[in-house]
Amino acid sequence: MTEAVLFTLFSVAAVLFAFNVVFRKNAVHCALHLVGVLLSLSGMFVLLNAQFIAAIQILVYAGAIMVLFLFVVMLLNVKGEVPLLTPGAAKGFGFFFALLGFVELLWIVLSSNGGGEGAPRPAAVLPAGFGSPAEIGRILYSTWLFPFEVTSILLLIAVIGAVVLAKRKFL
Amino acid sequence: MDLAFLIESAVKVLIVLGFVLLGVPLIVWMERKVIGHMQDRIGPQRVGPFGLLQTIADGIKLFFKEDLIPASADRAVFIIAPALPVITAFLALAVIPFGDTVRVAGRDVPLQVTDVNIAILWILGTTSMGVYGIVLGGWASNSKYPLLGGLRSSAQMISYELAQGISLVSVILMTGTLSLAAIVRQQETMWFILPQFFAFVIYILCGIAETNRAPFDLAEAETELVAGFHTEFSSMKFALYFLAEYANMMVVSGIAISVWFGGWHGPFLPPVVWFLIKLSLFLFFYVWLRATFPRLRYDQLMAFGWKVLLPASLLNLAVTAVVLTLASTR
Amino acid sequence: MPGSLIPLAAYQLVAALLFTIGLVGVLVRRSALIIFMSIELMLNAVNLSFVAFSKQNGQMDGQIFVFFVMSVAAAEVAVGLAILVAIFRNRETANVDDVHLLKG
């Protein structure tokens, strides 16, 4: 019962915030509404037994990535006539194709309901410690060790790239 | 979720709320008195015995001031921004254990608003959300000095978050659990200050930088940048920023006590009293630093955070990991 | 779903909605920053979908994937915003319609 209430609350909040992200004029307001989406999603992750991912979402996404976004928005301080939406017919095409995409996703979701022939059987009960940091650590450092190490190199490349791109003098 | 649990949680929330709201005036009074005596003067002495009611008088004064909102400011963000650091401070205080489990009306009540099994991650998350109050306050004022002060302060806060997190991870390696209540319980025989002294030093330095306190308070000091990000805020909004700073001080002290100084462990007195004693000592230490050290310049501050504290915390983590591995394979 | 009364389709529906709203943002808005934010919205919708499937199947691999998606999103945001800052420094505009030198 509480779960249904929380789920409704979080999903309605996420969708409302998402609408505001896309349709507001002021870029800072858009960024703040995106933070709202991230926090609502974090709540939904807790409902889905993904506590570690929920905490990481707040720490990394809402707490660091969005602060970076806000910094850039505030420092660029774009004022002036950036039109809100694409002028002309392209706007209609954009909405139409997005609607098409949504109908397609809806059809997939409602028809397959979580699996085709190759999908694993839905579990009857979740294993103990599902979603806890201990479990994540166990799997991350055994099965998924190689992607983990590659990700660390990727982040190093991103740091170097960002510093080089944003420098004033040619490096 | 039965009624008794709801009542218990509501009472605990009210106690924590009351404790912070009543404790902050006391901390402010202590700060003014202690800094006064350290500077060879007396501090507040007229309003009430020993000047104890001075903070109440200041609060009443702030309440009656005019609440200005600049005409070109972003209204919605301007009004919400001061509330954000207060909200995150209270959220972080929710997981700090104030005392051992007591038996009240036939139930075992842990003296902690809630015990999540990812408490350390929760605290790190809420402290990183605390940056928004500063950066949005600086932006919403739509004015040069607050914007610069806000950006500087938030850059400082996100830089010191890294070393703070890594120093906490060094302790987590030893405890194997992220829950603060469990970490406190593991310190019955030996407080973690002994094996993890350097992690504590790094953490407390980062904590002082996170709360924008001296000597790291360049971005909000009254003599720099015209008071930084909270220049345009008056009356209750300024009081909220003020409250948030002291509440954040309590959060940082509370975590340092729980993780390194044994939490509520102590010989004869009840656990809550021990926690309060340790908290007072930490807050005195904060005030002592403010009275003693000159301010760090902004580039010195950023260099210290990135070039000294972060490598030091990584080194501490590496040494802890190596020592633990060798000790477990023996 | 195991241990929960809310069906998987509900979570997938929310994820599809968020994804579509992000898609609308990318196709229709002209400010490069807002397009970026819409891309982040799409990535988050995918994260939600992954975590919901992870719970449905009782396997943690979905959550590990979300972990990697978040890391890659962080790297992408850093580099993308750096590019945006460099473009803005040269052209004084953040409107993607003005960056059209390669147009035929």
Side-chain angles (χ1 to χ4, degrees):
Chain A
M1 166 59 191
T2 37
E3 195 186 355
V5 168
L6 283 174
F7 171 75
T8 325
L9 188 70
F10 285 136
S11 42
V12 167
V15 172
L16 283 177
F17 280 133
F19 263 115
N20 271 310
V21 169
V22 170
F23 289 116
R24 279 208 166 248
K25 272 201 278 272
N26 188 342
V28 171
H29 289 176
C30 292
L32 291 179
H33 285 286
L34 188 54
V35 174
V37 173
L38 296 173
L39 293 177
S40 318
L41 281 183
S42 183
M44 285 175 82
F45 288 160
V46 173
L47 284 176
L48 285 167
N49 281 91
Q51 307 98 335
F52 181 75
I53 298 292
I56 293 294
Q57 169 102 336
I58 298 183
L59 243 177
V60 169
Y61 236 124
I65 296 181
M66 289 316 297
V67 173
L68 178 61
F69 253 113
L70 269 176
F71 267 33
V72 173
V73 167
M74 290 176 185
L75 286 172
L76 289 191
N77 199 16
V78 179
K79 286 199 170 78
E81 308 87 53
V82 177
L84 183 66
L85 302 173
T86 321
K91 182 166 54 173
F93 274 120
F95 279 114
F96 173 68
F97 281 116
L99 187 66
L100 213 59
F102 179 62
V103 166
E104 188 176 341
L105 283 172
L106 211 58
W107 185 69
I108 295 176
V109 162
L110 293 176
S111 68
S112 68
N113 201 22
E117 283 88 50
R121 313 260 335 137
V125 65
L126 292 173
F130 188 81
S132 65
E135 265 311 301
I136 297 243
R138 188 168 304 136
I139 300 185
L140 193 62
Y141 290 115
S142 56
T143 324
W144 298 87
L145 180 62
F146 182 67
F148 181 72
E149 300 295 336
V150 170
T151 306
S152 68
I153 300 181
L154 171 75
L155 289 172
L156 178 67
I157 295 174
V159 167
I160 298 176
V163 167
V164 166
L165 281 169
K167 273 175 97 75
R168 281 193 187 272
K169 293 205 218 12
F170 184 67
L171 184 63
Chain B
M1 256 217 283
D2 51 329
L3 187 64
F5 176 70
L6 282 175
I7 295 180
E8 167 195 331
S9 302
V11 168
K12 281 195 275 196
V13 166
L14 285 173
I15 290 179
V16 169
L17 216 67
F19 174 66
V20 173
L21 290 176
L22 293 174
V24 167
L26 262 180
I27 301 173
V28 176
W29 169 81
M30 179 208 39
E31 174 170 21
R32 294 173 72 165
K33 273 300 210 186
V34 165
I35 292 185
H37 281 281
M38 284 183 178
Q39 291 171 347
D40 212 12
R41 56 183 175 89
I42 306 184
Q45 51 173 335
R46 292 191 193 280
V47 190
F50 297 108
L52 273 169
L53 298 178
Q54 177 72 45
T55 325
I56 313 272
D58 280 334
I60 297 177
K61 172 203 75 173
L62 276 175
F63 188 69
F64 282 114
K65 273 194 173 182
E66 181 186 359
D67 200 334
L68 281 168
I69 300 184
S72 56
D74 195 340
R75 271 195 94 91
V77 180
F78 195 84
I79 295 177
I80 295 180
L84 291 174
V86 179
I87 294 175
T88 56
F90 278 120
L91 284 176
L93 277 173
V95 297
I96 296 181
F98 289 101
D100 203 352
T101 313
V102 297
R103 197 147 184 92
V104 171
R107 285 172 62 92
D108 273 325
V109 173
L111 284 183
Q112 184 184 15
V113 175
T114 169
D115 182 24
V116 289
N117 62 340
I118 46 163
I120 298 274
L121 283 180
W122 172 253
I123 287 174
L124 286 173
T126 48
T127 47
S128 27
M129 291 300 291
V131 176
Y132 280 105
I134 315 286
V135 76
L136 290 177
W139 167 259
S141 309
N142 201 14
S143 152
K144 279 194 282 284
Y145 294 119
L147 180 65
L148 281 177
L151 286 175
R152 273 188 179 180
S153 181
S154 42
Q156 167 191 329
M157 285 173 83
I158 57 180
S159 312
Y160 281 83
E161 261 167 31
L162 289 168
Q164 186 182 32
I166 297 178
S167 63
L168 280 170
V169 168
S170 315
V171 179
I172 308 293
L173 277 183
M174 283 182 58
T175 65
T177 170
L178 286 170
S179 155
L180 266 181
I183 293 178
V184 169
R185 263 174 232 286
Q186 286 184 9
Q187 297 184 59
E188 269 196 69
T189 44
M190 178 185 67
W191 292 358
F192 286 142
I193 184 71
L194 291 171
Q196 291 286 332
F197 177 68
F198 291 110
F200 167 68
V201 169
I202 294 169
Y203 177 79
I204 202 68
L205 287 172
C206 293
I208 299 171
E210 283 285 315
T211 49
N212 282 319
R213 289 280 297 181
F216 298 105
D217 65 346
L218 185 91
E220 64 152 28
E222 292 88 26
T223 53
E224 313 276 345
L225 284 180
V226 196
F229 64 90
H230 56 71
T231 311
E232 300 280 351
F233 292 90
S234 59
S235 179
M236 271 298 124
K237 300 195 176 65
F238 175 73
L240 273 180
Y241 270 124
F242 211 55
L243 174 73
E245 176 169 326
Y246 288 97
N248 274 313
M249 274 167 67
M250 280 205 234
V251 168
V252 169
S253 312
I255 297 167
I257 295 171
S258 303
V259 175
W260 280 280
F261 279 92
W264 38 258
H265 285 293
F268 305 105
L269 303 167
V272 186
V273 176
W274 270 115
F275 185 84
L276 289 175
I277 291 177
K278 295 179 196 177
L279 189 67
S280 320
L281 285 174
F282 262 91
L283 293 169
F284 173 75
F285 179 67
Y286 257 106
V287 173
W288 193 6
L289 280 181
R290 180 175 181 182
T292 317
F293 282 99
R295 214 162 269 144
L296 256 72
R297 212 177 53 223
Y298 188 65
D299 57 323
Q300 289 171 338
L301 198 153
M302 295 298 272
F304 184 60
W306 285 101
K307 296 192 207 168
V308 174
L309 285 184
L310 185 60
S313 63
L314 285 171
L315 185 66
N316 184 28
L317 179 66
V319 168
T320 309
V322 165
V323 167
L324 281 176
T325 320
L326 289 176
S328 72
T329 55
R330 190 162 301 164
Chain C
M1 284 213 280
S4 159
L5 293 167
I6 302 175
L8 175 70
Y11 284 105
Q12 300 300 333
L13 181 66
V14 175
L17 261 175
L18 288 175
F19 189 85
T20 315
I21 296 173
L23 188 59
V24 166
V26 170
L27 290 174
V28 161
R29 290 293 300 248
R30 290 298 94 194
S31 168
L33 279 166
I34 312 290
I35 293 180
F36 238 117
M37 289 187 215
S38 309
I39 295 178
E40 293 304 310
L41 195 53
M42 289 200 283
L43 280 172
N44 273 291
V46 169
N47 280 350
L48 179 64
S49 185
F50 266 123
V51 173
F53 273 122
S54 166
K55 180 169 179 178
Q56 164 88 343
N57 297 322
Q59 292 177 358
M60 295 271 294
D61 292 339
Q63 297 185 14
I64 301 288
F65 227 87
V66 169
F67 181 83
F68 287 125
V69 168
M70 269 190 223
S71 322
V72 170
E76 165 225 336
V77 164
V79 174
L81 287 177
I83 293 178
L84 192 65
V85 164
I87 291 180
F88 186 78
R89 212 181 268 144
N90 274 321
R91 285 165 200 289
E92 289 289 323
T93 176
N95 188 351
V96 292
D97 279 333
D98 291 340
V99 191
H100 57 82
L101 279 181
L102 280 178
K103 194 166 171 183

